[in-house]
Amino acid sequence: MGAMSRGELADFLRRRREALRPDQVPAGATHPPGQRSRRTPGLRREEVAALAGMSVSYYERLEQARAPRPSPEVLAALGTALRLTAAERDHVARLAGQVPPGTDADRGTVPSDALLLLDRLGAIPAYLVDDRQDVVAWNDAAAALVTDFARLPAQDRNTVRLSILLGGDLCSAPPGAEGEFARQSAAQLRAAGARYPNDRVIGELVNEFAAHSPAFAAGWRDHDVRPVTTLRKHLRHPVVGDLVLDCQTLVVPGTDLRLVLYTAEPGSPSAAALTRLGTPGGHRG
């Protein structure tokens, strides 16, 4: 087992409890309306304890970072009571020390079939990122669309650092979606930090981006670890002009890697621009 992160677990449970509305739980599980005024958001501690089938005092100690390591059965009950997603259940198990921390050996190498897929995507810009959000491989189309990764220092081949370096000069979000990339990055680094709690680089990235982006800082505080698979982005390219693209993220099975692809609506000007911009072949980091 891994070490228990009592403070992180306490904060996660509290924020999930406060985010859960009374109308999201079974009828009768919370106090009837009007019986007792709600001075805090979400459910009360005693309501979560009742839903999870545990004593109020034990749940209170969990939120106060004073409880011993919870068992898998307790975590499963809390997952049901707090309506946690699969990603959140995995995250809380890591915070509770029920899952051994990852090591550098777990990161492994980039699978050859993933590199082959990059080559075969042709004009579709795509790259592979690891748990630190480092770009570890890319195809020519991605280099033409985003930046020439090969010319960047290794530490700057990172989607978080690139968003700081390039910022609005490269990409913006459509109206109503501002901050989505920052929140997605916060979720991904939260999950990575729980898996690799001693990774100094992840901590540096978190501090760097939190100082740069209020949206990232808010997402980090919220402990949001739910994956975001698609983001709409507006890109300004120096050669082909403005593009409206969907940025899709797919997990590479059996690894910490994610495949990030940029696609456009078929028949759109952006799709035609990608075709002009992209070239077959690939480039490795």
Side-chain angles (χ1 to χ4, degrees):
M1 291 188 180
M4 180 177 172
S5 301
R6 283 184 171 83
E8 292 286 292
L9 177 62
D11 194 41
F12 178 87
L13 293 175
R14 178 178 61 81
R15 289 182 181 275
R16 288 300 167 272
R17 173 177 60 81
E18 292 177 348
L20 193 61
R21 301 191 310 272
D23 60 5
Q24 291 179 294
V25 301
T30 61
H31 291 284
Q35 185 182 55
R36 183 174 158 201
S37 63
R38 290 187 176 271
R39 295 185 296 274
T40 57
L43 298 186
R44 301 183 182 93
R45 289 173 176 171
E46 59 265 32
E47 291 170 337
V48 172
L51 288 168
M54 64 184 61
S55 70
V56 177
S57 62
Y58 177 68
Y59 181 75
E60 286 178 341
R61 290 199 302 274
L62 281 173
E63 280 205 11
Q64 294 166 355
R66 297 189 297 111
R69 185 197 307 269
S71 68
E73 292 76 17
V74 166
L75 294 181
L78 286 171
T80 300
L82 295 172
R83 303 174 68 89
L84 301 183
T85 65
E88 289 170 330
R89 286 173 184 260
D90 177 73
H91 184 67
V92 80
R94 293 186 182 280
L95 295 180
Q98 293 292 349
V99 181
T103 65
D104 286 340
D106 295 326
R107 288 185 162 114
T109 58
V110 180
S112 58
D113 55 351
L115 295 175
L116 182 61
L117 176 60
L118 282 180
D119 286 346
R120 291 180 175 175
L121 286 171
I124 298 176
Y127 51 79
L128 291 164
V129 294
D130 62 13
D131 56 286
R132 294 170 174 163
Q133 305 309 301
D134 286 336
V135 179
V136 296
W138 59 91
N139 62 12
D140 288 344
L145 175 69
V146 181
T147 189
D148 188 350
F149 297 104
R151 293 182 177 274
L152 292 176
Q155 68 271 18
D156 289 340
R157 294 177 198 163
N158 179 281
T159 60
V160 171
R161 288 205 168 101
L162 280 174
S163 71
I164 297 173
L165 292 171
L166 301 178
D169 294 336
L170 171 69
C171 138
S172 63
E178 296 83 0
E180 283 192 2
F181 170 77
R183 287 188 289 270
Q184 179 195 47
S185 298
Q188 291 168 335
L189 289 176
R190 259 294 181 194
R195 181 166 186 179
Y196 299 99
N198 299 318
D199 191 310
R200 177 181 54 81
V201 175
I202 292 176
E204 291 173 352
L205 282 170
V206 169
N207 292 334
E208 190 175 344
F209 206 15
H212 170 78
S213 168
F216 178 91
W220 182 263
R221 287 193 301 270
D222 288 343
H223 282 265
D224 190 358
V225 294
R226 292 168 294 180
V228 179
T229 57
T230 303
L231 289 175
R232 176 64 59 89
K233 292 187 177 183
H234 291 178
L235 279 74
R236 306 178 188 91
H237 193 274
V239 176
V240 296
D242 291 342
L243 301 167
V244 179
L245 303 176
D246 289 321
C247 179
Q248 297 162 309
T249 303
L250 305 174
V251 174
V252 179
T255 74
D256 285 338
L257 301 174
R258 287 174 170 79
L259 176 66
V260 180
L261 307 98
Y262 287 85
T263 60
E265 184 177 347
S268 67
S270 294
L274 280 186
T275 300
R276 296 195 305 272
L277 191 64
T279 57
H283 191 103
R284 317 300 191 260

